[in-house]
Amino acid sequence: MSSNAHMNELGEFLKARRAELSPRDVGLAETGKRRVRGLRREEVAQLTSISTDYYTRLEQGRMQASAPVLSTLARVLQLDDDQKKYLFSLAGKTPTRSPRRTRQKVQPPLRRLMEDLTATPAIVMGRRMDVIAWNSLAAALVTDFGRIPEKHRNYVRIVFTDPAMRTLYQHWETVARTCVAQLRMEAAKYPDDPRLAALVGELSVQDEQFREWWAARHVATLGVGTKTLHHPVAGALTLDWDTLTASTDPDQQLVVWTAEAGTPSHDGLRLLASWAADQKLSPWRSDDAGADRKR
């Protein structure tokens, strides 16, 4: 089979596979009457984090895909091992193997420091900005992380999918844009991370603003800043946030929110700490990993 024939067959193969999937199969909502069977091109493109034009040209046999894009397409289209092998064979590529990353465990120094911060909200963020640990005051300030399934316990995902975040943060758009820029930096570190690609694809499909800001390709590191919140219990809070990176695992960062002593925001945090104790909000515990696996 010639090169052009291979590319044409690859396009037909992609069309056939997306026709077999419904939006529900990939976690999308069924919206309106569909003119085509299966997924639309733009839906596959968004889930794969590529442009619709790029994907269209793949299906038309006018574009060669890189191995990482093929790997993501194989995941999005739910190809089995034989189908994935066939896809790569048509493209003349060798399947890429992302290094296996074990589940992140909170570094002991960060855990001890976080647990000692009884009057300071604190979380530990890992790869992809996943929330991997928190104290009870952080649960009271932001959201009860323990009620969120582990696979969805991602700070960016929470900011965009939890409606309460849009009223909690006075300048939600600024917070959300910064989150997208920070996630883009994570994507640069781990371009072949399937969970990160799935997160970007999901949010791109569900939220027009995320899709627009992700396409803008702004980047930012997780550093310092100030946020103004309208908390339903503590009222208006202006908090400084800062990060501490674990020397034993640079992919783990302790994020804390503080207020200057004697300010209304400092008093608000103390009020929130008292309320959190009464509510018995659960902080992260070392046995949460086992509990997550049972859920």
Side-chain angles (χ1 to χ4, degrees), residues 78-250:
Q78 302 177 12
L79 304 187
D80 60 28
D81 290 341
D82 289 341
Q83 291 171 330
K84 183 176 179 180
K85 186 182 297 183
Y86 183 65
L87 177 70
F88 275 84
S89 175
L90 290 173
K93 297 288 193 300
T94 301
T96 56
R97 288 185 176 272
S98 299
R100 183 175 178 83
R101 298 188 183 96
T102 57
R103 184 181 184 277
Q104 279 186 295
K105 294 182 179 180
V106 182
Q107 294 298 300
L110 289 189
R111 174 180 54 79
R112 289 192 293 268
L113 180 56
M114 179 189 68
E115 291 172 347
D116 285 343
L117 296 173
T118 57
T120 301
I123 63 174
V124 177
M125 280 207 280
R127 291 187 295 266
R128 313 171 207 93
M129 299 176 70
D130 289 342
V131 178
I132 59 176
W134 61 93
N135 63 12
S136 57
L137 192 48
L141 178 68
V142 183
T143 189
D144 190 350
F145 297 104
R147 292 184 176 273
I148 302 173
E150 182 184 13
K151 65 179 181 179
H152 291 156
R153 205 178 289 151
N154 175 276
Y155 196 78
V156 184
R157 190 180 191 280
I158 292 168
V159 165
F160 276 91
T161 62
D162 185 346
M165 296 299 103
R166 297 176 187 254
T167 54
L168 175 65
Y169 290 116
Q170 177 176 326
H171 305 292
W172 177 87
E173 182 172 322
T174 300
V175 172
R177 281 178 177 269
T178 302
C179 281
V180 174
Q182 291 163 346
L183 189 65
R184 172 65 77 174
M185 189 69 81
E186 288 291 297
K189 289 193 292 183
Y190 303 109
D192 299 330
D193 187 332
R195 285 188 57 188
L196 195 151
L199 174 65
V200 171
E202 174 195 359
L203 294 179
S204 295
V205 171
Q206 292 183 0
D207 194 285
E208 182 179 355
Q209 288 174 299
F210 178 91
R211 184 165 64 250
E212 176 187 341
W213 298 336
W214 182 260
R217 287 177 166 76
H218 295 302
V219 294
T221 56
L222 192 63
V224 299
T226 301
K227 287 186 173 72
T228 302
L229 299 86
H230 291 294
H231 196 275
V233 173
L237 298 171
T238 300
L239 304 177
D240 298 319
W241 61 274
D242 204 344
T243 57
L244 175 66
T245 302
S247 59
T248 50
D249 183 357

Side-chain angles (χ1 to χ4, degrees), residues 282-293:
S282 297
W284 173 89
R285 301 182 305 275
S286 59
D287 61 348
D288 280 350
D292 275 322
R293 284 192 290 270

